[in-house]
Amino acid sequence: MDDASAMTEPGLPHARDELSARTGFGTNLTDRAAELRDHDAPRAALRMAESARFAVVAGEKPVLRRRPGGLTIWHEAGELGLLGAIDHEVFLGRDAGAGRFGVRIAADLAEALKAREDLLLLDLRAVAVQSLLPAAELGALGETKAMTDWHARHRFCANCGQPTRAASGGWKRECDGCGAQHFPRTDPVTIMLVVRHDPALGDVCLMARQSRFPPGMYSCIAGFVEPGESFEDAVRRETLEETGLVVGSVRYLACQSWPFPSSLMIGCIAESLTSAITLDETELEAGRWFTRAEAELMLKGRHPEGFTPPVHIAIANTLLRAWLAM
Ligand SMILES: [Zn+2]
């Protein structure tokens, strides 16, 4: 499945054509049915119905089911009961009227489940990079991981330290000690393709690499948005900190839900006013300008120095392709 599959996959009831929908985890078509979150009876009825389906993670590891024609994230209630005790459960919503739920079981159940031939347990990044699932299932799986991760990491009240309990179908946690309510968090991260027009080289873009990247791979730079800061100011600050480049205008292009553990990547094109790169070597081991021709060769796997682009599911890849198409 290629990176445009989210847009063109047949059978999606309302396939969308934003750039965001082309990123990994970017297609999530479950009707969230938020009006049912505070109504236990209709939610329980959906859960008891034969049509109910459950996406499952063991700790952080997705538990996929093999079926004729490929893998699926969805387990029936009877299959769910055989996997192990449920630690956290979230009401994801409805799909064609049928209930959808995200479930986390204990991480230490993964080893035993790996032995089952009808299941596949694999790191979520690998599931995404290897395009093992239909785009809409990957989106629902990312949501399940992000939400159940949040529950696992927020068992105690940040206000008074007492244990909290899940409420509203898993969409908040409440503290009986002080009455505080806690809601799932999404952390904004700006990710930017920094570009400029070079008098000699033409249009160029900046990509850089961290030491943990596969050899030869270059990608966009990125950084968390801080309190009191706009996306645009975060792009300018992070670019200056990491590369010494002074950015002028910033344009939003697309975003990507990134459940590691709960980020929202905000993809921008940033116009640099300067050309001299001074890398922050604590964050980056290399960084340089690439011409359009070089970027195209990287995407085709034919760069003469063997440089490779960001992985196809990442919004950095989407940004690079969008810039080349401008
Ligand atoms: Zn409290």
Side-chain angles (χ1 to χ4, degrees):
M1 179 181 322
D2 66 29
D3 64 286
S5 60
M7 191 177 68
T8 56
E9 185 173 336
L12 294 182
H14 9 260
R16 297 149 299 174
D17 61 1
E18 298 102 345
L19 278 179
S20 304
R22 300 190 200 181
T23 63
F25 310 104
T27 301
N28 190 349
L29 300 172
T30 309
D31 164 11
R32 294 185 176 227
E35 71 278 8
L36 297 183
R37 289 175 187 170
D38 287 319
H39 294 281
D40 293 345
R43 249 188 15 252
L46 284 172
R47 197 188 188 288
M48 293 296 291
E50 204 172 313
S51 55
R53 295 291 182 273
F54 302 83
V56 181
V57 288
E60 298 189 349
K61 193 155 282 192
V63 181
L64 308 181
R65 196 165 63 80
R66 299 183 197 274
R67 60 172 178 186
L71 293 157
T72 181
I73 66 169
W74 299 120
H75 302 257
E76 296 177 13
E79 297 161 342
L80 175 68
L82 299 175
L83 296 178
I86 293 171
D87 284 348
H88 302 284
E89 179 172 318
V90 173
F91 173 59
L92 301 180
R94 281 179 305 216
D95 188 359
R100 295 290 183 262
F101 300 83
V103 166
R104 174 165 163 146
I105 59 176
D108 59 15
L109 294 171
E111 273 315 306
L113 294 176
K114 276 181 187 167
R116 281 181 45 177
E117 289 184 354
D118 59 330
L119 302 176
L120 176 67
L121 280 81
L122 199 60
D123 172 79
L124 180 58
R125 272 194 185 79
V127 171
V129 169
Q130 296 174 34
S131 302
L132 296 179
L133 291 169
E137 291 197 20
L138 183 64
L141 183 60
E143 181 186 359
T144 295
K145 180 187 175 284
M147 283 296 294
T148 56
D149 249 19
W150 173 71
H151 281 288
R153 292 164 192 251
H154 291 79
R155 294 180 298 127
F156 295 92
C157 179
N159 190 46
C160 76
Q162 294 294 307
T164 56
R165 55 180 173 76
S168 298
W171 286 91
K172 66 182 176 190
R173 295 187 73 86
E174 291 180 335
C175 175
D176 294 326
C178 72
Q181 297 185 324
H182 302 279
F183 295 92
R185 49 184 299 170
T186 297
D187 301 320
V189 177
T190 53
I191 179 163
M192 42 279 188
L193 189 68
V194 180
V195 303
R196 65 183 294 273
H197 184 79
D198 184 277
L201 300 172
D203 290 342
V204 290
C205 69
L206 174 114
M207 288 191 287
R209 49 174 289 111
Q210 300 175 15
S211 55
R212 63 179 178 85
F213 285 4
M217 193 188 94
Y218 279 74
S219 188
C220 297
I221 57 172
F224 283 98
V225 180
E226 296 185 345
E229 192 174 48
S230 68
F231 296 163
E232 292 87 347
D233 283 342
V235 167
R236 284 186 277 261
R237 175 183 53 75
E238 285 285 348
T239 304
L240 184 66
E241 287 173 5
E242 294 192 10
T243 67
L245 294 167
V246 177
V247 164
S249 72
V250 174
R251 184 151 54 108
Y252 167 80
L253 269 194
C255 67
Q256 178 178 33
S257 172
W258 190 247
F260 303 100
S262 55
S263 292
L264 180 68
M265 310 298 292
I266 299 143
C268 298
I269 299 285
E271 299 274 350
S272 182
L273 303 174
T274 59
S275 62
I277 298 167
T278 308
L279 286 185
D280 174 356
E281 289 175 357
T282 61
E283 300 236 357
L284 302 171
E285 69 169 22
R288 45 161 286 192
W289 296 107
F290 291 86
T291 64
R292 278 178 177 273
E294 279 184 293
E296 279 164 1
L297 287 171
M298 287 167 81
L299 287 168
K300 289 175 182 161
R302 298 212 307 260
H303 191 281
E305 292 170 75
F307 296 147
T308 57
V311 62
H312 69 98
I313 59 154
I315 191 171
N317 187 291
T318 309
L319 293 176
L320 186 63
R321 289 177 188 275
W323 174 68
L324 287 171
M326 282 176 186

